[in-house]
Amino acid sequence: MVAELRGALIGCGFFAVNQMHAWRDIEGASIVAICDRDPERLTVVGDQFGIERRYTDAAALFASEKMDFVDIATTAPSHRPLVEMAAQNRVPAICQKPFAPSLADAKAMVKACTDAGVALMVHENFRWQSPIQAVRAVLDSGDIGTPFFGRISFRSAYDVFSGQPYLARGKRFIIEDLGIHSLDIARFLLGDVSTITTRTARINPQIAGEDVATMLMDHKSGATSVVDCSYATKLAIEPFPQTLVEIDGSDGTIRLEHNYRLTVTGRNGTAVSDVSPPLLPWASRPWHNIQESVVAIQRHWVDCLANGTEPATSGADNLRTLALVEAAYAGAASREPVQLDALL
Ligand code: NAD
Ligand code: 89V
């Protein structure tokens, strides 16, 4: 029998609770220790999940525990020091998105893990949502031919600030926090990007950053995509946190619409299906879509460690998503298109 992987979670905040639930659902790995610099969060999560080994200092965690991996669920400013600490201790690491506050930091983190010979995965989970995987499967089937256009859309007026108050305070908001997922989905479905053009706006006067972004991208495949996101869009039915997708191909189309309705028009006609994510026992609507993807990405990590394969959203892969974020902010400021290769 293969020994279960021993993991530790650093950062016991709002989102980490989902990660802890997901670890309990996954065979082959368990969380044996947790760390948070806030003793209150340590108590809340430690008591909820029955974890006795608790640390308020990540260096003490690394010094005292024998771990097969560490799951870093803190916010971006701490990601580089914590990933570098993992690399120094030769511990494979998962790091939440946004991978780092800057592309330069992210490159240094990838180098530190490569030099140490340890695996590094960014917890970029949106592409692991089952409706998005369903779109990918249609593309792989060849039914719609070669894609030439895509639209990845996330428009909502959901109050994200009550659960994540820091989102209202940052100079950067929607592209760095949410658009990053949409940009990653665009890469996942249509491949890497050569050029991005961006417009942003702030509609909500009570926040510091932009809450609307519209991005036009040239993909290296020749396809064009529009990635649009908004937290200022008041709709009759609030769709949070659904990502809607349109793809046009040489032989047909894909539409992932509200309520997870997937319509595929291909060589053999039109098929409509319901690709709703399952509601896991510990999940709660409307977050269940995201919560299910957390299980999927963490299971993928365990498979990768077991088989010695590179995670789909490895640190190196995620540099290309983070570069899109950097390029989008640069292009929004200059109002000029930005070339991606120059950043990588
Ligand atoms: P949070 O502020 O609620 O939690 C972060 C926790 O990390 C806090 O308890 C804080 O005390 C702790 N922490 C920070 N620095 C630390 C350090 N150096 N050592 C130990 N503990 C430290 O934040 P959150 O909303 O849970 O977000 C965490 C991360 O997850 C962010 O990067 C966010 O973007 C990401 N996130 C991802 C998703 C997703 O779907 N992938 C969803 C929500 C949030
Ligand atoms: O995925 C995220 O990082 C979250 C949310 C879905 C609310 O934007 O912050």
Side-chain angles (χ1 to χ4, degrees):
M1 206 179 89
V2 181
E4 190 155 271
L5 297 172
R6 294 165 55 85
L9 178 115
I10 306 178
C12 299
F14 169 79
F15 200 71
V17 173
N18 296 310
Q19 293 171 229
M20 290 298 292
H21 275 295
W23 286 123
R24 286 215 292 214
D25 282 359
I26 294 168
E27 275 180 37
S30 60
I31 296 298
V32 298
I34 57 173
C35 170
D36 198 299
R37 62 186 178 193
D38 176 352
E40 210 177 300
R41 289 305 304 167
L42 207 49
T43 302
V44 168
V45 171
D47 290 355
Q48 183 178 357
F49 293 93
I51 310 291
E52 297 306 328
R53 305 178 76 80
R54 304 175 188 182
Y55 298 83
T56 49
D57 175 24
L61 168 84
F62 281 104
S64 309
E65 296 290 335
K66 195 173 157 359
M67 298 171 283
D68 297 309
F69 70 93
V70 67
D71 187 6
I72 299 167
T74 60
T75 43
S78 55
H79 288 175
R80 180 172 175 179
L82 291 172
V83 166
E84 288 180 343
M85 210 181 280
Q88 276 155 17
N89 287 279
R90 301 269 192 280
V91 177
I94 305 173
C95 178
Q96 254 297 350
K97 52 59 64 178
F99 188 21
S102 75
L103 196 54
D105 283 340
K107 286 179 182 172
M109 292 153 75
V110 170
K111 184 173 182 327
C113 290
T114 305
D115 291 351
V118 296
L120 172 63
M121 180 178 84
V122 179
H123 189 120
E124 179 42 79
N125 51 322
F126 270 40
R127 66 162 78 177
W128 285 98
Q129 292 172 5
S130 49
I132 303 299
Q133 292 283 325
V135 172
R136 181 67 254 175
V138 175
L139 288 173
D140 290 342
S141 75
D143 205 20
I144 71 154
T146 305
F148 62 85
F149 170 81
R151 179 179 176 209
I152 317 298
S153 181
F154 185 107
R155 310 192 77 79
S156 166
Y158 188 84
D159 173 21
V160 281
F161 310 110
S162 56
Q164 297 164 267
Y166 58 90
L167 294 178
R169 295 192 292 265
K171 271 175 64 185
R172 292 178 166 190
F173 170 39
I174 200 168
I175 299 174
E176 185 179 74
D177 183 66
L178 185 280
I180 195 168
H181 293 304
S182 314
L183 292 165
D184 189 70
I185 290 172
R187 286 188 54 233
F188 178 56
L189 298 179
L190 295 168
D192 276 324
V193 174
S194 51
T195 315
I196 183 168
T197 305
T198 306
R199 297 291 179 268
T200 58
R202 179 174 59 222
I203 305 302
N204 180 349
Q206 288 168 331
I207 64 171
E210 83 292 348
D211 53 2
V212 178
T214 310
M215 295 159 269
L216 172 69
M217 307 204 291
D218 296 308
H219 292 261
K220 291 186 175 176
S221 64
T224 305
S225 71
V226 175
V227 173
D228 60 286
C229 45
S230 165
Y231 273 123
T233 300
K234 300 176 176 74
L235 292 159
I237 300 170
E238 171 53 62
F240 180 88
Q242 296 178 44
T243 299
L244 309 184
V245 177
E246 298 175 20
I247 297 184
D248 294 0
S250 51
D251 297 324
T253 54
I254 303 172
R255 295 291 181 269
L256 175 61
E257 292 166 302
H258 189 234
N259 271 345
Y260 308 109
R261 180 184 147 103
L262 182 68
T263 304
V264 180
T265 300
R267 294 189 184 100
N268 303 316
T270 295
V272 181
S273 55
D274 178 359
V275 291
S276 295
L279 180 66
L280 297 173
W282 50 268
S284 54
R285 295 180 191 277
W287 288 86
H288 63 298
N289 180 24
I290 292 176
Q291 288 163 321
E292 182 226 5
S293 71
V294 171
V295 178
I297 192 171
Q298 291 180 190
R299 191 169 278 141
H300 173 63
W301 169 251
V302 172
D303 290 344
C304 288
L305 285 190
N307 302 325
T309 48
E310 171 113 340
T313 58
S314 66
D317 175 84
N318 197 260
L319 292 180
R320 296 177 182 279
T321 294
L322 197 65
L324 283 170
V325 171
E326 293 261 326
Y329 282 112
S334 68
R335 299 185 74 79
E336 296 288 337
V338 178
Q339 308 288 331
L340 268 299
D341 281 349
L343 297 176
L344 287 161

